[in-house]
Each structure stands twice: as C-alpha cells, then as structure tokens.
Amino acid sequence: MYTTLRNFIQAVPALAFPLAALAQPDAVLESLDHRIRVELTAADGQLSYAISRDQHPIIASSALGLQTTQGALDGGTLRVVGSERKTVNETYRPVAGKAASVANHYNQIELHFAGKSKDIKLDLVVRAYDEGVAIRYVLPQQASVDEIGIHGEATRFVFPADYRCWGFNPGQPDNAHEGEFDPVKASAIRPAHLFDAPLVCKTGVKNTTFALAEADKRDYAGAYYSGRGEGGLGVQIKLAPHHSDPKAPGYLPPVRASLAAGPLLTPWRVVMLADSPGALAASSLIATLGSPSVIADTSWIKPGKSAWDWWNGWAVNLPDAGINTATYRAYTDFAAALGLDYILIDEGWYEGSAEWGQAANVTKPIPQMDMAAIIGHARKKGVGVWVWLQWEQLDRQLDEALALYESWGIKGIKVDFMNRNDQDMVGFYHKVLGKAAAHHLMVDLHAAYPPDGLLRTYPNYMTQEGVMGAEYNKWSSRVTATHNVTLPFTRMILGPMDYTPGGFRSLAPEQFSARQRNVKPFVQTTRGQAVAMYVVYDSPLVMVADNPEAYRNPDGSWADGAQFIGKVPTTWDETRVVDGDIGQYIVSARRKGSTWYIGAMTNESARKLEIPLTFLDGGVRYGAEILQDGKDRDHLAASTAQVKQGSRIRLSLAGGGGAVVVLTPEAPVANPEQPHAGPPPGVYQAPQLAADDVRVFSVPPAGFADARSGVAQGRVEEFSYDSPVTGTRRKANVYLPAGYSKERRYPVLYLLHGLGGSLDDWRYYVRSSAILDQLIADGKAVPMIVVMPNGRALADDRAPPPERTYTPEHIAGFAAFERELLETLVPAIDKQYPTLPGPRQRAIAGLSMGGGQALNFGLANLNSFSWVGGFSSAPNTAAAAALLPDAVRARTQLRLLYLSCGSKDGLFHISQDFHRYLKSSGIAHVWNVDPYGHDRDSWAENLYDFAQLLFR
C-alpha cells in the first residue's frame, strides 16, 4: 500500500512545511496576498489540483499527469516520496519591456514522486503568485531511464461554470499564429479545436478574468487548448505533433528526451488571474516565469523604432524605387529626420531570398544592394540597420551569416516563416537567439508561436509577430477596430507583438474593401488610433510602417501625429491599464522617467472618455499635450492643459479612433533637496557674508528656463549601461542638442543630482533642457551633449525614505559612483555618442550632494575633466587642501572652476570656505553668490551662467 501525501507529511516531521500548513484535500498553497488558493490532491489514485480566488472557484478539480513511452505518470502510477516549500520575494530589472523593475514574488511547493511499480521519478512544481498560478512537471536526470517520449499531458483545466471566453482557434498545429480572438462560450469549445495561448475567460464574479498560457518552453513541444474529450466544461492540453509526421501525431511522440543526459522540464502551465482584463494586460507574469537572462553584457541592446519598406511596397519618391541602394538611403534619410533608430531591410535583399526554404545564399546581397554603402550612410546618420531572413535559409548558414552581419555592423535580424511550434522549432528559437546574442545581434521573430517568456531569458529578443497585424490590411478587411482593441487583452498579455503600426491613410470600413491595395495600403481606423498604438501596444522594437511621404504634408511639414511617433518611447518604467474591456476600448498609461504617456483606442463605436489622473505624483504640476481624433480620419485635434494628481482629462474618440496624451512635469512644489530630516549637527549654518560674497553675473532674462516658442528643441533619451560597481543595469538621461547629428562631434557635460534626488532632477525640476535649448539657439552656449546619471551607485538606486537619507550605506553610494563614472559611464557614452575626446571637451557639475561629487571627482581627475562646477555643494565635499593639493597643476590643467551658492542657503559655508582657500592659493575660479536658498532658482541661474563659459 502506497503512502498518500497527507500520510507522508504526518510521518516525516522534518519536512520544510508543517502539518498545520495543510488543509483538505492533501496540500494547500496560497499566494502572498492570500487571495489565490491552490488545492492539491495526490492520493487514492488521483493527482489533481483546483484553484480559487477570493473563495470563488476558478478551476475545479483537474487532472495532472504525463502520457509517456514509459506509461502514464499520474495518480495511479506514482507515490509521494518527498516535498519542499519555499517563498521567493525578489525583483529583477528587464532590459526592455513594460516596467523598469518586476516583482518575482511567489510561494512554491515541490512534490517528489516515484513510480509504484517502475523505477522512475517525477517532480511536480507549483507556484502561487499574486497574479496567478504556474505548474510544471520535472523529470529529473535518472540513470534508470535513458530515452523517454511524451505522447501528451493529462493536464486539464476544468471550468466550474460556462465561462465567456475569447480565443484564437487556428484549427491546425502548423500555422503562423495570426488570427482573431473571437468570443466563445466554454460550452462551445470542442475536442477538435486547437486554441492558441492565451485563452482568456471571464468568471462572472465581478470583473475577475483569467488566462491560460505557457511559459519557459525549452526542449519541449508547444501546447494548444482543446475541449475535454468527454464533453465537460473546460479544456485540456494538446501538444504540437512531431513535425516529421504532423498528420499522425500518435506515431512519433511530440517530445523526445534522454533523462540519462539531463532533466526534462515541461513549460509552466499558467493560469493568469486579475480583477479585470486590464490588469491582465499590465501583467509581466509570463516574462517573469521565463528563465533568467543568459546574456551577461546587455549594453549593446538598444530598443527603438524602425522605418520599414515591405508594408508600404518600397514606396519612396524615387525613380526605380525598390530593393536597391538608393531606396534604402532614402529610408535612412527619413528615419534620421523623424528621429527613428533603425531601418529594416525586408525580403529580397540576398540571393535566393524567398518565403520558403529553397536554396539561397544569405551572405551574398543581390547586385542592386551595396550593403557597405547602405550601412555606412546609415551610420553617418545615426541610424542602425536590420535585415530580414527566411528561417531555413538562415539556418543552413547560421554561424557564417551571423559573424558576417556583425562585421558589417548590422544591429538586428528579423527571422520569418517558422509557422510551427513543435519541439524542433522550439529548439531553433533558443539556438538562433543564443547565437545572435554572441554576435551582438537583436532579433525579431515572425510567423512565430505565442510568446512564452523569451524576453527575460534572451534580452536581445526585441519583439515578435504571432499576431494578426497591419499586414492583413493589404489583402483583407479583417483588421478591424474591434480586433485592435481585443489584442491588448488577449495576445499582448503574453509578451511583445510586432503589429507594425503606423498606417497613415485611413478609409471608413464601408469603403475599405473596394480600395484595398498592396502599395501604400489603407487602414480602417483613424489617425488617432494610429498614434495611440505606439502607447497601447507592447513592442521594444516597433515599426513605422507607412512610406516616408505619408508622414509629410504637401508643404513638407510633418503630418499630424508624425512627430509624436518620432519621440514616443518603446520601453517603459511603469504600465497601467486605466480603463477598458475586451473588444470595446482601452486606456493605457505608461511612465518613462517622470513623463506619462496615455494611449486610448476604441472599437467601431465613438465614445467620450473621462480619465482620472490618480497615478500622477502628488505636489507636481504637469503640462498635458493632447492629440485626439480631428476634423476627419486623417487629422488630429491638438490641445494643451495644465493638470495635477486627481485631475481628469476628457477625450472624444471617433468610431475606430483614438488619442494620446503626454504628461510632462512642469514644476514640483516639493524641492527634492530641501533640508532633510535628521542631518548631522552643524551641517546647516546661518550664512555669514563677506565683502566678496556677491553675484558676479547679471540676472538671466525672464523665461530663461521655460520652453520658448520658435526655439529648436533638443531631445532627451534614456541610456542604459551595466554597472560593475552595483552589479545591476543602470540608467542615465542624455540631452542631445537641437540639430544633433552623428556626423558631428560634441563636448560633454555631466550633471549630477543631490542627496534626495534622481537622474530626472536636472531635466524636470531645474528644467535644464529649456535652459540649454535657448542658450544654444541664441549662440550663447556651444552645442553639447549633457549626461544626467543616477549618482547613487547602489543596487537599489532609488531615493530612500527620509529615515534612510543619512545612513552610511546611502552616503557611500555617492562616493562609489566615482569609479562607475570614470571606468564605465564615461567610456560607454564616448562609445555610443559622437563625443570630442580629451579632458578639455568634458565638464562635470552638480547640485548639493552632486556638487560635492563634481568637485571631488572632477578635481581628482583633471586628466578626465577640465571644466568643473559645484552648485550649493554639500558636506560630502572634500577638504579644500585635499581637493587641490597642487596649485601649479590646477592652474595649468583647469579651464574653469566654478563655485556658487545662495546667500540664504544653510550649506553656504562649504562653498565659501573652498572659495577662500582658492583665493589664498592664487587659483583662478568663479565665485557666484545669488540671493536664493537651497533651491531651483539658484541651480537654474547658475546652470545658465556656467553653460555659457564651457568649451570656449
């Protein structure tokens, strides 16, 4: 007689979980928020699970097990021999995606089984997250079992009610995974159906929604969801058949493995759970379940936007436009003008290029394509190049081709027409992503199976198809507004989707079918929906699909929405779905730095929306730039507003329409550098002014720190790098002046923030961009690159709460930044941007704690910085004699040493003491005393004055 799980736990008290943790049936696992409960049964010939949420059943008791060449592995053949529990509470930082950091928080139980009559082992691993449940089988390495085949799984998802679901049923295992997610009642799902992941269902309890999916698939076949064979409510797993015999799936097992060589892990069988469909859309659970990154150095991975040829039919305004050098120079010029990062060279550029796998040479361009000239021109314009490849043609020359593309300077590859998810094809995905990473190539997968967490495992995986996207507008009427607002709640919850938005020519649905065309195609949705897709849809690499002419007005100015596309980010620090429902409408809010972007889309019904801005920071005014449906389908109505937390924005969406809103902080009420609670005694002192403690510059003109109409604006982009000091991926803001070009070289200014601040302080609180834009436009400052890093070199580099501000660990992070700055960040900036070399082309300055850093780091490293500024420098500033022990060297190497402070600043004595030392030592410097305290007015005016002195 075998031991049940309950009896086993009672008999072995040394196990990791106590008897008190169990309830009927045999074991219970709960999420950390206690809302999700998983009940496991492993007794009396049964191996099953059930899931409830808030005490409402979601999945009724459902079978578990594998059907193998060794026989069934289930409750009838296995006995429990051990178990462990653990809790994980950690976060990880994706290189790209919908959030800057992602929680990986779960409770886990692992049950160990052995065969009752056979010498075979199996483990069952179950995790409960606040966002859902994940279950996987593990066949450990075991010498007693060499070859094993998996015919199928006994895994079921039994529904306790006739749920209303949405799913895509391709009807056959080999397919491109592109289609509509249609509404379907659970009772209408048949055993012959093959639903792709995800299958999304509403439970009928409030707005609770769940989705079935899989994650972390490797050395295994993909899964479909079919109706239960006996006709009950729910679905069961069906594996993609062995590719050699797709018509006879029982002939060869879909999965083959050698357990003597190593363990076999099935994918996670996932039940995602949320209070609403929108909460599913914001979830990162599938990526979180992916294996951790296998790429150590990710600094070369750059998400972005790409001009694209194929959708618009190579329609550039040139004679003989097509697959040739002149055409791609034109796409490059367009990309550079709009601020896009890449061009994609699609099908047809190499010898034998075709959609199917006939003989070809992917290393030999056709004669019309001078790849060296195309890539060289793009490099001068600051634009990267991607190339398209048919997967079989690439696979035959994989190693040779990837090495060649790296030598050319190609940034990424689009691999197409896989059309399968069998075990061998799954292996190809891992092979091509791993080898591409070894050659510093990013990857876009097309005709691809649904995402399953590759975004985390291979950060060079930028996006993928497996979605019925904009290409279907070229030959069908299937891409409707309803389809577009169904995708965020279905296909997109799994991972990025290369929908290829950007169609700027719109027709009403009733006119569309009669005017379909392959070149310069139309879409059935408005310009408002076209731009909203760039916020609503997830894709770290996103296409700008129309031809260059479509983004210009007849007079050559940018068409409505084009400049928004040029500036909108493709990766995000935070994502929220504010409102919406499947197939009806969606309102998404995404944050990048301190700026929020809202995207709204609706189905064929016009609707008015009122969006509560509860997600904004308190105490901050935001400027709102609003683009929504305009006078017709191809125009937008633009407006502006000032808003704050709790304000509401009203949007009017046409049928098939949309809108975007950009919310930019204007002026925080709270100063991040106001005197912090609990400083050491004596830090703040009443200023005692001497005769030479005076303002030495004129008061800047009114509006010097405001965006001025008619002034060309620079842009700020996010730069990421891997820090050896913290062991994490860190970020900096980089200001690029108006007219920035990679064909020109620039000096660089590094601006450091204060003790309570962040990399956004100079940009949003001081408003450095507006100050520099005006100075450069007026010829008062040299065009320069400005790097605004996070000067807190800690693994958790966020500003701490007040009680931790003065802890030794926090203070030490600012000192540790010196090594990271000099050894990592400065070289990385010089590699990525066209900088002028040498210390005379490099400046450093900072405010408060950053002012102390700038003086400490700059003056100790005059071989790196010849221009140094400290504004309202904090007590971290080194002693004067230690800062400049060699007056002769300082006089010869320093081009500028600039000190400033406000006459009402409690830290005045720090800068004053250094000024007096410099004066007594005969070291030239600027000492500017303004009438302010420790605040923005002082730092803005001194940046205005300091910048005019640099690099002259």
Side-chain angles (χ1 to χ4, degrees):
M1 184 175 182
Y2 69 93
T3 303
T4 68
L5 175 60
R6 187 185 305 110
N7 291 337
F8 182 84
I9 295 166
Q10 291 172 335
V12 188
L15 283 176
F17 57 92
L19 178 61
L22 300 178
Q24 293 292 340
D26 293 299
V28 170
L29 186 70
E30 289 189 342
S31 58
L32 292 171
D33 65 2
H34 304 293
R35 296 184 66 190
I36 296 174
R37 177 183 174 96
V38 185
E39 297 181 347
L40 296 167
T41 299
D44 303 323
Q46 184 180 3
L47 179 57
S48 64
Y49 74 103
I51 300 173
S52 60
R53 187 172 189 262
D54 297 333
Q55 299 182 338
H56 295 286
I58 304 294
I59 304 294
S61 181
S62 301
L64 294 167
L66 299 175
Q67 298 144 357
T68 79
T69 52
Q70 298 286 325
L73 300 178
D74 55 24
T77 63
L78 299 172
R79 59 188 177 87
V80 179
V81 295
S83 57
E84 296 104 26
R85 284 184 186 256
K86 70 175 181 179
T87 296
V88 171
N89 194 340
E90 64 185 14
T91 59
Y92 69 95
R93 296 196 172 201
V95 174
K98 63 181 75 173
S101 63
V102 178
N104 185 27
H105 300 174
Y106 60 87
N107 287 322
Q108 175 177 298
I109 185 171
E110 184 170 359
L111 306 180
H112 305 295
F113 295 89
K116 296 176 185 176
S117 59
K118 285 189 175 182
D119 185 13
I120 192 167
K121 298 173 184 176
L122 179 139
D123 298 332
L124 180 70
V125 186
V126 184
R127 291 181 181 176
Y129 291 80
D130 292 350
E131 299 169 277
V133 175
I135 302 172
R136 86 181 331 166
Y137 308 97
V138 178
L139 287 161
Q141 185 175 11
Q142 42 199 298
S144 60
V145 181
D146 187 3
E147 299 296 325
I148 189 170
I150 309 295
H151 291 300
E153 296 187 14
T155 312
R156 290 191 174 188
F157 305 86
V158 175
F159 298 167
D162 192 5
Y163 294 148
R164 185 185 180 202
C165 302
W166 285 260
F168 165 49
N169 173 28
Q172 59 184 17
D174 287 359
N175 68 93
H177 305 276
E178 299 167 3
E180 296 90 342
F181 284 79
D182 294 319
V184 58
K185 293 289 286 185
S187 55
I189 300 176
R190 306 294 180 226
H193 291 160
L194 293 173
F195 280 93
D196 238 336
L199 181 64
V200 179
C201 302
K202 289 187 175 181
T203 67
V205 177
K206 296 182 180 181
N207 208 16
T208 301
T209 309
F210 72 88
L212 304 182
E214 62 180 349
D216 201 31
K217 183 166 64 263
R218 182 193 294 265
D219 299 323
Y220 205 83
Y224 295 94
Y225 303 94
S226 298
R228 293 164 55 189
E230 79 283 7
L233 295 175
V235 295
Q236 61 190 31
I237 292 291
K238 281 192 179 177
L239 299 180
H242 189 280
H243 184 67
S244 65
D245 196 359
K247 294 182 180 179
Y251 179 65
L252 288 174
V255 179
R256 295 84 57 208
S258 170
L259 300 185
L264 173 65
L265 285 69
T266 74
W268 291 106
R269 301 293 170 219
V270 186
V271 182
M272 302 175 69
L273 278 158
D275 288 329
S276 67
L280 282 184
S283 172
S284 296
L285 181 58
I286 298 301
T288 300
L289 285 163
S291 296
S293 174
V294 298
I295 302 174
D297 174 18
T298 58
S299 60
W300 53 274
I301 299 172
K302 306 293 182 185
K305 297 180 290 288
S306 179
W308 187 34
D309 51 12
W310 182 88
W311 191 79
N312 58 72
W314 292 268
V316 296
N317 190 21
L318 288 174
D320 302 318
I323 306 172
N324 57 53
T325 302
T327 295
Y328 289 105
R329 288 177 66 96
Y331 277 109
T332 298
D333 293 343
F334 159 68
L338 190 55
L340 308 183
D341 307 276
Y342 302 107
I343 64 168
L344 169 60
I345 300 174
D346 213 279
E347 178 183 357
W349 69 271
Y350 58 83
E351 286 192 352
S353 171
E355 296 180 358
W356 310 114
Q358 55 259 49
N361 188 345
V362 301
T363 67
K364 188 172 183 181
I366 60 174
Q368 297 90 332
M369 293 289 288
D370 185 339
M371 294 300 286
I374 292 168
I375 296 167
H377 179 67
R379 185 180 295 114
K380 289 180 181 178
K381 292 285 187 176
V383 175
V385 178
W386 286 61
V387 293
W388 176 98
L389 295 142
Q390 198 276 346
W391 82 272
E392 289 173 291
Q393 295 176 337
L394 170 64
D395 196 29
R396 296 187 194 112
Q397 298 176 276
L398 185 60
D399 293 323
E400 176 189 4
L402 298 182
L404 178 66
Y405 301 156
E406 181 182 25
S407 73
W408 286 353
I410 294 293
K411 301 301 182 184
I413 56 174
K414 173 181 171 181
V415 186
D416 206 347
F417 289 103
M418 281 78 76
N419 290 331
R420 290 164 37 196
N421 63 339
D422 57 275
Q423 184 182 17
D424 292 341
M425 183 54 72
V426 171
F428 172 75
Y429 279 37
H430 286 268
K431 177 174 70 172
V432 75
L433 286 163
K435 291 194 172 187
H439 293 285
H440 300 98
L441 293 167
M442 294 173 282
V443 179
D444 176 6
L445 299 168
H446 265 232
Y449 60 72
D452 64 357
L454 293 171
L455 187 69
R456 184 180 183 191
T457 309
Y458 301 99
N460 61 321
Y461 157 88
M462 287 286 96
T463 190
Q464 69 159 83
E465 205 177 31
V467 62
M468 193 176 80
E471 66 175 341
Y472 279 73
N473 287 298
K474 292 162 73 84
W475 59 77
S476 80
S477 302
R478 294 169 62 186
V479 183
T480 63
T482 293
H483 173 71
N484 290 342
V485 293
T486 300
L487 289 175
F489 305 104
T490 53
R491 162 60 181 82
M492 197 182 79
I493 68 176
L494 302 182
M497 59 183 196
D498 195 10
Y499 176 98
T500 65
F504 260 33
R505 297 177 177 88
S506 175
L507 290 173
E510 61 270 18
Q511 301 172 322
F512 184 79
S513 295
R515 297 184 62 185
Q516 281 175 2
R517 62 190 189 189
N518 198 49
V519 176
K520 301 181 184 178
F522 294 99
V523 298
Q524 300 183 72
T525 49
T526 71
R527 182 67 57 84
Q529 188 157 130
V531 294
M533 289 178 183
Y534 286 89
V535 178
V536 172
Y537 289 168
D538 283 317
S539 190
L541 173 73
V542 63
M543 298 297 113
V544 180
D546 223 325
N547 69 312
E549 177 187 333
Y551 300 103
R552 298 277 191 183
N553 293 317
D555 64 0
S557 61
W558 290 113
D560 288 3
Q563 288 179 293
F564 172 82
I565 292 174
K567 293 181 179 180
V568 66
T570 65
T571 64
W572 308 96
D573 294 332
E574 184 178 353
T575 293
R576 303 186 186 196
V577 176
V578 179
D579 199 3
D581 202 358
I582 305 171
Q584 301 300 310
Y585 68 103
I586 185 169
V587 180
S588 295
R590 300 185 189 262
R591 181 177 59 82
K592 188 70 169 180
S594 298
T595 300
W596 283 91
Y597 296 78
I598 297 173
M601 296 165 54
T602 184
N603 60 9
E604 288 75 10
S605 298
R607 67 184 76 229
K608 295 186 183 299
L609 300 173
E610 191 170 276
I611 303 168
L613 304 180
T614 55
F615 49 83
L616 297 180
D617 288 340
V620 182
R621 290 196 312 272
Y622 289 81
E625 301 173 65
I626 305 166
L627 298 175
Q628 55 189 318
D629 290 316
K631 63 183 180 180
D632 58 37
R633 303 181 67 83
D634 288 327
H635 287 88
L636 298 171
S639 60
T640 60
Q642 276 199 336
V643 298
K644 61 183 180 180
Q645 185 185 67
S647 297
R648 291 176 176 268
I649 285 184
R650 294 175 176 85
L651 299 176
S652 181
L653 276 56
V660 293
V661 182
V662 183
L663 299 164
T664 306
E666 289 188 338
V669 175
N671 177 355
E673 296 307 315
Q674 279 295 336
H676 308 283
V683 168
Y684 297 114
Q685 300 178 14
Q688 302 292 322
L689 274 68
D692 61 347
D693 296 332
V694 297
R695 181 195 284 272
V696 297
F697 298 103
S698 301
V699 177
F704 78 97
D706 297 327
R708 194 173 78 196
S709 177
V711 171
Q713 295 183 356
R715 71 177 193 268
V716 176
E717 63 183 32
E718 183 181 276
F719 178 76
S720 298
Y721 60 99
D722 292 313
S723 167
V725 175
T726 66
T728 60
R729 190 162 179 82
R730 304 240 294 142
K731 296 178 180 178
N733 286 328
V734 179
Y735 167 87
L736 303 175
Y740 170 81
S741 169
K742 286 209 169 184
E743 298 181 49
R744 175 180 178 178
R745 293 190 174 274
Y746 299 87
V748 185
L749 165 62
Y750 289 80
L751 285 177
L752 308 181
H753 63 79
L755 182 65
S758 73
L759 73 169
D760 290 326
D761 285 1
W762 280 102
R763 181 182 181 187
Y764 293 121
Y765 184 65
V766 183
R767 292 184 246 173
S768 57
S769 295
I771 295 170
L772 293 165
D773 286 342
Q774 289 199 45
L775 288 175
I776 292 169
D778 294 340
K780 295 180 179 179
V782 172
M784 66 186 81
I785 294 171
V786 182
V787 181
M788 295 163 278
N790 186 324
R792 189 182 289 106
L794 298 168
D796 182 356
D797 57 10
R798 296 171 295 180
E803 65 271 14
R804 289 178 44 220
T805 299
Y806 287 96
T807 61
E809 295 80 10
H810 185 220
I811 301 297
F814 284 83
F817 182 64
E818 180 176 8
R819 181 165 72 90
E820 179 179 296
L821 173 71
L822 296 170
E823 297 180 7
T824 303
L825 182 56
V826 169
I829 291 291
D830 289 343
K831 181 179 179 181
Q832 177 66 20
Y833 297 98
T835 61
L836 288 165
R840 293 201 172 195
Q841 305 299 334
R842 199 177 294 125
I844 186 169
L847 62 86
S848 193
M849 193 79 161
Q853 285 179 302
L855 295 176
N856 295 343
F857 304 166
L859 297 177
N861 296 280
L862 294 176
N863 57 336
S864 295
F865 303 98
S866 291
W867 314 78
V868 180
F871 309 159
S872 312
S873 299
N876 63 317
T877 307
L883 282 171
L884 280 177
D886 188 340
V888 174
R889 182 174 177 228
R891 293 189 194 100
T892 57
Q893 291 190 261
L894 261 176
R895 301 287 291 172
L896 174 67
L897 176 54
Y898 184 109
L899 305 179
S900 70
C901 200
S903 61
K904 299 175 183 176
D905 191 333
L907 299 181
F908 183 83
H909 62 283
I910 296 169
S911 298
Q912 184 186 50
D913 288 348
F914 190 32
H915 153 66
R916 290 173 175 173
Y917 172 82
L918 294 170
K919 186 177 180 179
S920 65
S921 301
I923 298 174
H925 64 287
V926 170
W927 170 228
N928 186 47
V929 178
D930 57 65
Y932 307 113
H934 201 69
D935 55 38
R936 175 194 174 277
D937 291 335
S938 176
W939 303 324
E941 289 193 8
N942 280 287
L943 175 61
Y944 178 86
D945 296 326
F946 179 69
Q948 295 182 63
L949 303 176
L950 296 178
F951 312 122
R952 300 290 190 179

